[in-house]
C-alpha cells in the first residue's frame, strides 16, 4: 500500500536552451518522485516525438487530467503496466499525441516515487543491494555541428573518458581539468577565441576538425600525465547531420571536404588509430547499418563503436544491429523511446549481447539527475553527461553522492 499513487502533477519548466519542457511529480501514500524530460537537437528520425504540435502548452492541462485519472490508485511499483497505459492513452506508435517527453517524465517520476515509498534511492531500487559499480563519465570538451554556431568544427562532440580513474571524484575532476586545458590550447590555435561554449558546455573554437582532434589528444596526454591516470579521447560524430542523401556524401563544411561512405570508413578508422580513440559514436548516417558493421569489423576490437541515432534506444532496432554486428555500444536515452520499462528492456538486450550500454543526457537538459541513478542501477559502465555547466554537473555531483553512499564502490569494468 505504501506505493499507491495519490496525486500526479505536470508542469512546464525551462530546459538549458531556454525551451519549455515538462516536469512531473508523482505522490504516493508514502513517497514522492519528481522527474523532468530533456530534449535533443540532433535527434534520430526514429525517436518517439517529444511533444505534439503546439508543444508543452498543448498537452499540459489535457495530459494532466487524462494521466491523473488513469494513474490515481495504481501501484507505482507496477511500472510496466503504467508504461503500457501511457502508450494506450497516447494511442500512436511514435507517441505523437501526448509526446514521448511527457510519457518518459511520468514513467521516471513513477519509478522514483516507488523507490521513495520504500525509502530507497532510485539506483538501489532498480539495481538491488549488490550494486556497487560506478560509470566512467564521458565528458564533453569541444562542440561543433548542431550543438554549436557557424565556423565550428563539423564533428559534433569531442569527448574524453578518464579510463584510469580510480573513483568518480577523480574521474569528474580529471574531465574538468582537460576542459580547462583545452581552453588554453584553443587560444594558441584561434587567436579570436572568445571562450564561447556550445549546448553541452564544450568550447566552440573556430578551427578545423583536424586541429581540434590534435589539441584534444594533446590535452588528454598532458593532463593524464600530470594526474597520473590514463585519459582517452572519444567522439560523437553525429554523422546523420553531415550526411547529404542526394549527393551520397558526408559534408565537412569547415574543412571543405566531402566523403562518400568508403572514404568515411577510412577517415574514421584513421582517426581511431592515430589518436587511440576509446569511443566513437554515430560515425555513419542513422540508416547505414552496413557502414557501421564494416567499421566495427575493422576496429571494434580496440574502440567502442556506438550507435545513438542508429538505435534510438529501441529494442527492435538494436536487435537488427546485433544481428549485423553493427556496433559494440549503444547510447541509452530514455526520452528516445518514451518510458523507463522500454529503456530497461533495451539495456537488457544490449548486455545479453555484449553491447555496452552508455546512459546519456541530451543536449537540452534540466537539473534532473535521474540518469545518474539509471547508469548505476542499470549497470551502465559509462555515462555521457558533459563535464561542466549546471545541468551537467547536476548528474556528476549526484554520482559523487552515490559513490559516497555505496559500501564497496568501484569503477565499472568493460
Ligand atoms: O547526439 C547526442 O548524443 C546528444 C547528446 O550529446 O545530442 P542530442 O541530445 O542533441 O541528440
Ligand atoms: Mg549522439
Amino acid at each position: 500500500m505504501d506505493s499507491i499513487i495519490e496525486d500526479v502533477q505536470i508542469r512546464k519548466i525551462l530546459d538549458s536552451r531556454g525551451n519549455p519542457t515538462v516536469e512531473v511529480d508523482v505522490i504516493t501514500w508514502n513517497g514522492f518522485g519528481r522527474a523532468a524530460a530533456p530534449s535533443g537537437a540532433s535527434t534520430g528520425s526514429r525517436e518517439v516525438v517529444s511533444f505534439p504540435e503546439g508543444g508543452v502548452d498543448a498537452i499540459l492541462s489535457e495530459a494532466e487530467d487524462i494521466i491523473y485519472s488513469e494513474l490515481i490508485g495504481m501501484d507505482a511499483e507496477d511500472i510496466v503496466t503504467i508504461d503500457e497505459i501511457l502508450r494506450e492513452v497516447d494511442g500512436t506508435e511514435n507517441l505523437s499525441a501526448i509526446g514521448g517527453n511527457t510519457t518518459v517524465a511520468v514513467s521516471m517520476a513513477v519509478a522514483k516515487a516507488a523507490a521513495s515509498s520504500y525509502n530507497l534511492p532510485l539506483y538501489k531500487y532498480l539495481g538491488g543491494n549488490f550494486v556497487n559499480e560506478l560509470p566512467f563519465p564521458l565528458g564533453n570538451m569541444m562542440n561543433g555541428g548542431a550543438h554549436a554556431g557557424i565556423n565550428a568544427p563539423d564533428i559534433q562532440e569531442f569527448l574524453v573518458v578518464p579510463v584510469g580513474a580510480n573513483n568518480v571524484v577523480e574521474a569528474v575532476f580529471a574531465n574538468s581539468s582537460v576542459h580547462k586545458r583545452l581552453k588554453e590550447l584553443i587560444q594558441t590555435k584561434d587567436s579570436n577565441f572568445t571562450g564561447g561554449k556550445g549546448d553541452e558546455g564544450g568550447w566552440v573554437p573556430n578551427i578545423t576538425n583536424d586541429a581540434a582532434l590534435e589539441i584534444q589528444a594533446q590535452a588528454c596526454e598532458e593532463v593524464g600525465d600530470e594526474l597520473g591516470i590514463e585519459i582517452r579521447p572519444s567522439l560523437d560524430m553525429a554523422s546523420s547531420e553531415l550526411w547529404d542523401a542526394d549527393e551520397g556524401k558526408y559534408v565537412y563544411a569547415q574543412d571543405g571536404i566531402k566523403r562518400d561512405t568508403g572514404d568515411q570508413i577510412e577517415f574514421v578508422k584513421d582517426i581511431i588509430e592515430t589518436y587511440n580513440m576509446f569511443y566513437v559514436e554515430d560515425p555513419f548516417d542513422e540508416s547505414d547499418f552496413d557502414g557501421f558493421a564494416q567499421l566495427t569489423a575493422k576496429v571494434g576490437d580496440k574502440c567502442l563503436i556506438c550507435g545513438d541515432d542508429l538505435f534510438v534506444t529501441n529494442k527492435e532496432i538494436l536487435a537488427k544491429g546485433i544481428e549485423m554486428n553493427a556496433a559494440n555500444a549503444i547510447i541509452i536515452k530514455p526520452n528516445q523511446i518514451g518510458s523507463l520499462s522500454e529503456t530497461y528492456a533495451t539495456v537488457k538486450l544490449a548486455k545479453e549481447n555484449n553491447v555496452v550500454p552508455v546512459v546519456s543526457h541530451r543536449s537540452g537538459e534540466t537539473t534532473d539527475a535521474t540518469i545518474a541513478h539509471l547508469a548505476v542501477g542499470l549497470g551502465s559502465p559509462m555515462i555521457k553527461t558533459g563535464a561542466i555547466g549546471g545541468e551537467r554537473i547536476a548528474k556528476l555531483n549526484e554520482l559523487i553522492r552515490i559513490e559516497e553512499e555505496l559500501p564497496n564502490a568501484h569503477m565499472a569494468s568493460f
Side-chain angles (χ1 to χ4, degrees), residues 55-69:
V56 177
D57 291 326
I59 52 106
L60 221 51
S61 54
E62 194 192 346
E64 189 172 72
D65 285 352
I66 303 168
I67 290 168
Y68 183 94
S69 60

mmCIF file with all atom_site columns, all heavy atoms in Angstrom, residues 55-69:
data_model
loop_
_atom_site.group_PDB
_atom_site.id
_atom_site.type_symbol
_atom_site.label_atom_id
_atom_site.label_alt_id
_atom_site.label_comp_id
_atom_site.label_asym_id
_atom_site.label_entity_id
_atom_site.label_seq_id
_atom_site.pdbx_PDB_ins_code
_atom_site.Cartn_x
_atom_site.Cartn_y
_atom_site.Cartn_z
_atom_site.occupancy
_atom_site.B_iso_or_equiv
_atom_site.pdbx_formal_charge
_atom_site.auth_seq_id
_atom_site.auth_comp_id
_atom_site.auth_asym_id
_atom_site.auth_atom_id
_atom_site.pdbx_PDB_model_num
ATOM 1   N N   . GLY A 1 55 ? 3.430  22.020 -28.822 1.00 0.00 ? 55 GLY A N   1
ATOM 2   C CA  . GLY A 1 55 ? 4.423  21.942 -27.751 1.00 0.00 ? 55 GLY A CA  1
ATOM 3   C C   . GLY A 1 55 ? 3.861  21.590 -26.389 1.00 0.00 ? 55 GLY A C   1
ATOM 4   O O   . GLY A 1 55 ? 2.787  20.987 -26.266 1.00 0.00 ? 55 GLY A O   1
ATOM 5   N N   . VAL A 1 56 ? 4.596  22.010 -25.378 1.00 0.00 ? 56 VAL A N   1
ATOM 6   C CA  . VAL A 1 56 ? 4.249  21.656 -23.997 1.00 0.00 ? 56 VAL A CA  1
ATOM 7   C C   . VAL A 1 56 ? 2.861  22.178 -23.640 1.00 0.00 ? 56 VAL A C   1
ATOM 8   O O   . VAL A 1 56 ? 2.052  21.473 -23.016 1.00 0.00 ? 56 VAL A O   1
ATOM 9   C CB  . VAL A 1 56 ? 5.294  22.251 -23.018 1.00 0.00 ? 56 VAL A CB  1
ATOM 10  C CG1 . VAL A 1 56 ? 4.901  21.965 -21.574 1.00 0.00 ? 56 VAL A CG1 1
ATOM 11  C CG2 . VAL A 1 56 ? 6.672  21.670 -23.310 1.00 0.00 ? 56 VAL A CG2 1
ATOM 12  N N   . ASP A 1 57 ? 2.555  23.417 -24.053 1.00 0.00 ? 57 ASP A N   1
ATOM 13  C CA  . ASP A 1 57 ? 1.262  24.019 -23.679 1.00 0.00 ? 57 ASP A CA  1
ATOM 14  C C   . ASP A 1 57 ? 0.088  23.182 -24.183 1.00 0.00 ? 57 ASP A C   1
ATOM 15  O O   . ASP A 1 57 ? -0.949 23.104 -23.537 1.00 0.00 ? 57 ASP A O   1
ATOM 16  C CB  . ASP A 1 57 ? 1.153  25.442 -24.244 1.00 0.00 ? 57 ASP A CB  1
ATOM 17  C CG  . ASP A 1 57 ? 2.124  26.384 -23.547 1.00 0.00 ? 57 ASP A CG  1
ATOM 18  O OD1 . ASP A 1 57 ? 2.360  26.173 -22.337 1.00 0.00 ? 57 ASP A OD1 1
ATOM 19  O OD2 . ASP A 1 57 ? 2.664  27.282 -24.207 1.00 0.00 ? 57 ASP A OD2 1
ATOM 20  N N   . ALA A 1 58 ? 0.291  22.554 -25.351 1.00 0.00 ? 58 ALA A N   1
ATOM 21  C CA  . ALA A 1 58 ? -0.810 21.796 -25.947 1.00 0.00 ? 58 ALA A CA  1
ATOM 22  C C   . ALA A 1 58 ? -1.203 20.576 -25.116 1.00 0.00 ? 58 ALA A C   1
ATOM 23  O O   . ALA A 1 58 ? -2.351 20.123 -25.176 1.00 0.00 ? 58 ALA A O   1
ATOM 24  C CB  . ALA A 1 58 ? -0.414 21.349 -27.357 1.00 0.00 ? 58 ALA A CB  1
ATOM 25  N N   . ILE A 1 59 ? -0.262 20.052 -24.355 1.00 0.00 ? 59 ILE A N   1
ATOM 26  C CA  . ILE A 1 59 ? -0.601 18.824 -23.617 1.00 0.00 ? 59 ILE A CA  1
ATOM 27  C C   . ILE A 1 59 ? -0.836 19.057 -22.121 1.00 0.00 ? 59 ILE A C   1
ATOM 28  O O   . ILE A 1 59 ? -1.393 18.207 -21.441 1.00 0.00 ? 59 ILE A O   1
ATOM 29  C CB  . ILE A 1 59 ? 0.506  17.743 -23.769 1.00 0.00 ? 59 ILE A CB  1
ATOM 30  C CG1 . ILE A 1 59 ? 1.888  18.306 -23.430 1.00 0.00 ? 59 ILE A CG1 1
ATOM 31  C CG2 . ILE A 1 59 ? 0.495  17.137 -25.142 1.00 0.00 ? 59 ILE A CG2 1
ATOM 32  C CD1 . ILE A 1 59 ? 2.450  17.898 -22.165 1.00 0.00 ? 59 ILE A CD1 1
ATOM 33  N N   . LEU A 1 60 ? -0.424 20.234 -21.662 1.00 0.00 ? 60 LEU A N   1
ATOM 34  C CA  . LEU A 1 60 ? -0.325 20.424 -20.219 1.00 0.00 ? 60 LEU A CA  1
ATOM 35  C C   . LEU A 1 60 ? -1.593 20.063 -19.440 1.00 0.00 ? 60 LEU A C   1
ATOM 36  O O   . LEU A 1 60 ? -1.614 19.086 -18.708 1.00 0.00 ? 60 LEU A O   1
ATOM 37  C CB  . LEU A 1 60 ? 0.105  21.866 -19.927 1.00 0.00 ? 60 LEU A CB  1
ATOM 38  C CG  . LEU A 1 60 ? 1.110  22.026 -18.813 1.00 0.00 ? 60 LEU A CG  1
ATOM 39  C CD1 . LEU A 1 60 ? 2.309  21.118 -18.976 1.00 0.00 ? 60 LEU A CD1 1
ATOM 40  C CD2 . LEU A 1 60 ? 1.549  23.482 -18.737 1.00 0.00 ? 60 LEU A CD2 1
ATOM 41  N N   . SER A 1 61 ? -2.655 20.817 -19.641 1.00 0.00 ? 61 SER A N   1
ATOM 42  C CA  . SER A 1 61 ? -3.840 20.592 -18.819 1.00 0.00 ? 61 SER A CA  1
ATOM 43  C C   . SER A 1 61 ? -4.513 19.283 -19.192 1.00 0.00 ? 61 SER A C   1
ATOM 44  O O   . SER A 1 61 ? -4.909 18.480 -18.337 1.00 0.00 ? 61 SER A O   1
ATOM 45  C CB  . SER A 1 61 ? -4.821 21.747 -18.986 1.00 0.00 ? 61 SER A CB  1
ATOM 46  O OG  . SER A 1 61 ? -5.082 21.906 -20.357 1.00 0.00 ? 61 SER A OG  1
ATOM 47  N N   . GLU A 1 62 ? -4.554 19.026 -20.509 1.00 0.00 ? 62 GLU A N   1
ATOM 48  C CA  . GLU A 1 62 ? -5.235 17.825 -21.006 1.00 0.00 ? 62 GLU A CA  1
ATOM 49  C C   . GLU A 1 62 ? -4.545 16.552 -20.489 1.00 0.00 ? 62 GLU A C   1
ATOM 50  O O   . GLU A 1 62 ? -5.182 15.668 -19.918 1.00 0.00 ? 62 GLU A O   1
ATOM 51  C CB  . GLU A 1 62 ? -5.189 17.850 -22.530 1.00 0.00 ? 62 GLU A CB  1
ATOM 52  C CG  . GLU A 1 62 ? -6.114 16.883 -23.196 1.00 0.00 ? 62 GLU A CG  1
ATOM 53  C CD  . GLU A 1 62 ? -5.781 16.789 -24.688 1.00 0.00 ? 62 GLU A CD  1
ATOM 54  O OE1 . GLU A 1 62 ? -5.038 17.653 -25.186 1.00 0.00 ? 62 GLU A OE1 1
ATOM 55  O OE2 . GLU A 1 62 ? -6.250 15.844 -25.321 1.00 0.00 ? 62 GLU A OE2 1
ATOM 56  N N   . ALA A 1 63 ? -3.207 16.530 -20.660 1.00 0.00 ? 63 ALA A N   1
ATOM 57  C CA  . ALA A 1 63 ? -2.470 15.329 -20.259 1.00 0.00 ? 63 ALA A CA  1
ATOM 58  C C   . ALA A 1 63 ? -2.571 15.117 -18.758 1.00 0.00 ? 63 ALA A C   1
ATOM 59  O O   . ALA A 1 63 ? -2.730 13.987 -18.289 1.00 0.00 ? 63 ALA A O   1
ATOM 60  C CB  . ALA A 1 63 ? -1.021 15.443 -20.684 1.00 0.00 ? 63 ALA A CB  1
ATOM 61  N N   . GLU A 1 64 ? -2.494 16.207 -18.026 1.00 0.00 ? 64 GLU A N   1
ATOM 62  C CA  . GLU A 1 64 ? -2.560 16.050 -16.572 1.00 0.00 ? 64 GLU A CA  1
ATOM 63  C C   . GLU A 1 64 ? -3.893 15.392 -16.181 1.00 0.00 ? 64 GLU A C   1
ATOM 64  O O   . GLU A 1 64 ? -3.921 14.468 -15.385 1.00 0.00 ? 64 GLU A O   1
ATOM 65  C CB  . GLU A 1 64 ? -2.381 17.397 -15.869 1.00 0.00 ? 64 GLU A CB  1
ATOM 66  C CG  . GLU A 1 64 ? -2.232 17.225 -14.360 1.00 0.00 ? 64 GLU A CG  1
ATOM 67  C CD  . GLU A 1 64 ? -1.850 18.529 -13.665 1.00 0.00 ? 64 GLU A CD  1
ATOM 68  O OE1 . GLU A 1 64 ? -2.729 19.411 -13.579 1.00 0.00 ? 64 GLU A OE1 1
ATOM 69  O OE2 . GLU A 1 64 ? -0.712 18.639 -13.225 1.00 0.00 ? 64 GLU A OE2 1
ATOM 70  N N   . ASP A 1 65 ? -4.971 15.861 -16.805 1.00 0.00 ? 65 ASP A N   1
ATOM 71  C CA  . ASP A 1 65 ? -6.291 15.291 -16.496 1.00 0.00 ? 65 ASP A CA  1
ATOM 72  C C   . ASP A 1 65 ? -6.355 13.814 -16.855 1.00 0.00 ? 65 ASP A C   1
ATOM 73  O O   . ASP A 1 65 ? -6.779 12.980 -16.056 1.00 0.00 ? 65 ASP A O   1
ATOM 74  C CB  . ASP A 1 65 ? -7.395 16.030 -17.271 1.00 0.00 ? 65 ASP A CB  1
ATOM 75  C CG  . ASP A 1 65 ? -7.667 17.388 -16.648 1.00 0.00 ? 65 ASP A CG  1
ATOM 76  O OD1 . ASP A 1 65 ? -7.106 17.630 -15.557 1.00 0.00 ? 65 ASP A OD1 1
ATOM 77  O OD2 . ASP A 1 65 ? -8.390 18.187 -17.269 1.00 0.00 ? 65 ASP A OD2 1
ATOM 78  N N   . ILE A 1 66 ? -5.932 13.489 -18.098 1.00 0.00 ? 66 ILE A N   1
ATOM 79  C CA  . ILE A 1 66 ? -6.036 12.100 -18.557 1.00 0.00 ? 66 ILE A CA  1
ATOM 80  C C   . ILE A 1 66 ? -5.135 11.197 -17.708 1.00 0.00 ? 66 ILE A C   1
ATOM 81  O O   . ILE A 1 66 ? -5.566 10.150 -17.212 1.00 0.00 ? 66 ILE A O   1
ATOM 82  C CB  . ILE A 1 66 ? -5.601 11.956 -20.042 1.00 0.00 ? 66 ILE A CB  1
ATOM 83  C CG1 . ILE A 1 66 ? -6.420 12.870 -20.939 1.00 0.00 ? 66 ILE A CG1 1
ATOM 84  C CG2 . ILE A 1 66 ? -5.762 10.511 -20.511 1.00 0.00 ? 66 ILE A CG2 1
ATOM 85  C CD1 . ILE A 1 66 ? -5.862 12.988 -22.345 1.00 0.00 ? 66 ILE A CD1 1
ATOM 86  N N   . ILE A 1 67 ? -3.878 11.633 -17.547 1.00 0.00 ? 67 ILE A N   1
ATOM 87  C CA  . ILE A 1 67 ? -2.919 10.795 -16.823 1.00 0.00 ? 67 ILE A CA  1
ATOM 88  C C   . ILE A 1 67 ? -3.348 10.664 -15.364 1.00 0.00 ? 67 ILE A C   1
ATOM 89  O O   . ILE A 1 67 ? -3.303 9.579  -14.779 1.00 0.00 ? 67 ILE A O   1
ATOM 90  C CB  . ILE A 1 67 ? -1.490 11.373 -16.968 1.00 0.00 ? 67 ILE A CB  1
ATOM 91  C CG1 . ILE A 1 67 ? -1.028 11.182 -18.414 1.00 0.00 ? 67 ILE A CG1 1
ATOM 92  C CG2 . ILE A 1 67 ? -0.524 10.706 -16.011 1.00 0.00 ? 67 ILE A CG2 1
ATOM 93  C CD1 . ILE A 1 67 ? 0.209  11.938 -18.791 1.00 0.00 ? 67 ILE A CD1 1
ATOM 94  N N   . TYR A 1 68 ? -3.813 11.764 -14.817 1.00 0.00 ? 68 TYR A N   1
ATOM 95  C CA  . TYR A 1 68 ? -4.274 11.755 -13.430 1.00 0.00 ? 68 TYR A CA  1
ATOM 96  C C   . TYR A 1 68 ? -5.367 10.686 -13.258 1.00 0.00 ? 68 TYR A C   1
ATOM 97  O O   . TYR A 1 68 ? -5.279 9.819  -12.400 1.00 0.00 ? 68 TYR A O   1
ATOM 98  C CB  . TYR A 1 68 ? -4.828 13.145 -13.087 1.00 0.00 ? 68 TYR A CB  1
ATOM 99  C CG  . TYR A 1 68 ? -5.282 13.321 -11.661 1.00 0.00 ? 68 TYR A CG  1
ATOM 100 C CD1 . TYR A 1 68 ? -4.410 13.845 -10.705 1.00 0.00 ? 68 TYR A CD1 1
ATOM 101 C CD2 . TYR A 1 68 ? -6.578 12.992 -11.276 1.00 0.00 ? 68 TYR A CD2 1
ATOM 102 C CE1 . TYR A 1 68 ? -4.822 14.011 -9.395  1.00 0.00 ? 68 TYR A CE1 1
ATOM 103 C CE2 . TYR A 1 68 ? -6.994 13.164 -9.967  1.00 0.00 ? 68 TYR A CE2 1
ATOM 104 C CZ  . TYR A 1 68 ? -6.116 13.675 -9.034  1.00 0.00 ? 68 TYR A CZ  1
ATOM 105 O OH  . TYR A 1 68 ? -6.527 13.838 -7.747  1.00 0.00 ? 68 TYR A OH  1
ATOM 106 N N   . SER A 1 69 ? -6.365 10.727 -14.126 1.00 0.00 ? 69 SER A N   1
ATOM 107 C CA  . SER A 1 69 ? -7.489 9.799  -13.956 1.00 0.00 ? 69 SER A CA  1
ATOM 108 C C   . SER A 1 69 ? -7.065 8.340  -14.165 1.00 0.00 ? 69 SER A C   1
ATOM 109 O O   . SER A 1 69 ? -7.613 7.433  -13.557 1.00 0.00 ? 69 SER A O   1
ATOM 110 C CB  . SER A 1 69 ? -8.653 10.163 -14.883 1.00 0.00 ? 69 SER A CB  1
ATOM 111 O OG  . SER A 1 69 ? -8.199 10.094 -16.213 1.00 0.00 ? 69 SER A OG  1
#
